[in-house]
Amino acid sequence: MYLINGAECNVLPVNDRSVQFGDGCFTTARVVAGQIAFLDQHLHRLQDACQRLFIPFAHWVLLADEMRQVARESQNGVLKVIITRGAGGRGYSAAGCLQPTRILSVFASPSHYPRWQEEGVTLGLSPIRLGRNPHLAGLKHLNRLEQVLIRTHLEQTDADEALVLDSDGWVTECCAANLFWRAGDVVFTPRLDQAGVDGIMRRHCMSHLAQSRFRVVEVNARVESVRQADEVVICNALMPVIPVRTFAEVHYRSRELFDYLAPLCEQTTTS
């Protein structure tokens, strides 16, 4: 099911800025029993992105109603919401783009996530690096060519997910997930002020870790720090958290951090 500006439709004008320039933002939410997990957080993410991208979107109550409407069509699925700057001219100028486009769609949940949770995943090191850009860092904007290239390369390997570095060689994230690794009682996660996506599940995990016996630290770290960890987990709003079994010929046998986070990530706040 697709909704474009409130109407069931799967056709977008060719002069929409998302098509012309990747000019917009999105979020991807888990639907559980027809309800949206972390609805408020997903709306806040979109609001923050629109503010930082100077997109004059104002119909937040209407969008929330449409999100609930679309979610009711799926017992367990994935809701994707895109906001674009709207239709515009040929050039880069956003002058006259006063009516942003909202696009909602719903899909089936990925069927492999339960198996991944049980068995763990293998990470490969991606040769594709993320460009550092503090103005766009953290945002889930529509410029996803880096992730497309990362995924394209990943699909040519035997790995399940890719560990991704930024252009300076700092560990940043995975292709479609955030990353935590544990050494003793200290849990590390990459700083995302220069590159990467600050995911909703990442924030959720960090808030719980801050109240636990673990100490969570945001760091600039090299690959060797991950290799030397006692345990590695990845997360996103859909997984929601998965243990890493193997990375760079290192086998992680502990699930201490995963066992702590998994039930907390499943007890999602729904609206």
Side-chain angles (χ1 to χ4, degrees), residues 43 56-66 83 98-100 102:
L43 287 168
F57 187 82
H59 303 297
W60 297 109
V61 174
L62 176 60
L63 177 63
D65 288 342
E66 290 177 348
I83 298 176
L98 302 177
Q99 297 183 351
R102 60 189 190 276

Side-chain angles (χ1 to χ4, degrees), residues 9-265:
C9 179
N10 60 1
V11 178
L12 196 66
V14 295
N15 66 337
D16 190 274
R17 301 267 302 186
S18 63
V19 177
Q20 297 289 335
F21 306 112
D23 189 357
C25 57
F26 73 105
T27 195
T28 308
R30 186 182 182 194
V31 178
V32 181
Q35 304 291 309
I36 303 166
F38 298 112
L39 173 59
D40 290 343
Q41 289 88 334
H42 283 285
L43 287 168
H44 183 268
R45 159 187 269 178
L46 292 169
Q47 290 167 352
D48 178 59
C50 284
Q51 181 179 14
R52 289 173 61 183
L53 296 174
F54 309 116
I55 295 176
F57 187 82
H59 303 297
W60 297 109
V61 174
L62 176 60
L63 177 63
D65 288 342
E66 290 177 348
M67 290 172 68
R68 294 187 186 95
Q69 172 191 341
V70 171
R72 284 194 289 269
E73 303 293 325
S74 174
Q75 274 298 300
N76 293 285
V78 176
L79 171 65
K80 185 173 184 177
V81 181
I82 299 172
I83 298 176
T84 86
R85 198 177 302 276
R90 180 201 60 81
Y92 290 137
S93 174
C97 296
L98 302 177
Q99 297 183 351
T101 302
R102 60 189 190 276
I103 305 168
L104 286 75
S105 53
V106 65
F107 307 92
S109 294
S111 60
H112 57 275
Y113 283 164
R115 175 174 57 83
W116 279 12
Q117 285 190 330
E118 181 178 348
E119 299 177 0
V121 296
T122 296
L123 291 186
L125 181 61
S126 179
I128 312 299
R129 295 194 175 189
L130 300 174
R132 290 166 66 86
N133 184 336
H135 186 73
L136 295 178
L139 295 183
K140 206 162 186 179
H141 52 73
L142 293 180
N143 291 263
R144 296 287 100 189
L145 274 178
E146 291 172 325
Q147 283 70 28
V148 170
L149 293 175
I150 291 165
R151 177 64 68 184
T152 300
H153 177 269
L154 175 62
E155 290 172 348
Q156 300 171 24
T157 74
D158 295 328
D160 301 304
E161 247 290 5
L163 182 69
V164 182
L165 312 180
D166 70 13
S167 55
D168 282 356
W170 300 114
V171 174
T172 304
E173 60 186 4
C174 295
C175 179
N178 289 119
L179 178 77
F180 292 90
W181 64 95
R182 181 181 61 80
D185 288 340
V186 182
V187 177
F188 300 95
T189 192
R191 289 182 57 177
L192 300 177
D193 56 338
Q194 298 295 318
V197 173
D198 185 8
I200 285 171
M201 192 53 58
R202 174 182 183 266
R203 292 187 179 188
H204 182 68
C205 289
M206 290 180 70
S207 68
H208 281 288
L209 288 168
Q211 304 171 48
S212 73
R213 66 177 180 81
F214 297 106
R215 182 166 66 92
V216 62
V217 184
E218 294 181 86
V219 294
N220 286 328
R222 302 298 186 186
V223 171
E224 193 59 26
S225 178
V226 180
R227 284 176 48 86
Q228 295 174 351
D230 297 321
E231 180 182 6
V232 182
V233 300
I234 62 175
C235 67
N236 67 28
L238 306 181
M239 291 177 170
V241 62
I242 301 287
V244 172
R245 182 177 70 251
T246 306
F247 168 63
E249 300 182 352
V250 176
H251 296 272
Y252 306 100
R253 308 200 183 280
S254 173
R255 287 200 172 196
E256 187 177 335
L257 179 61
F258 172 76
D259 288 342
Y260 172 75
L261 290 175
L264 297 172
C265 293

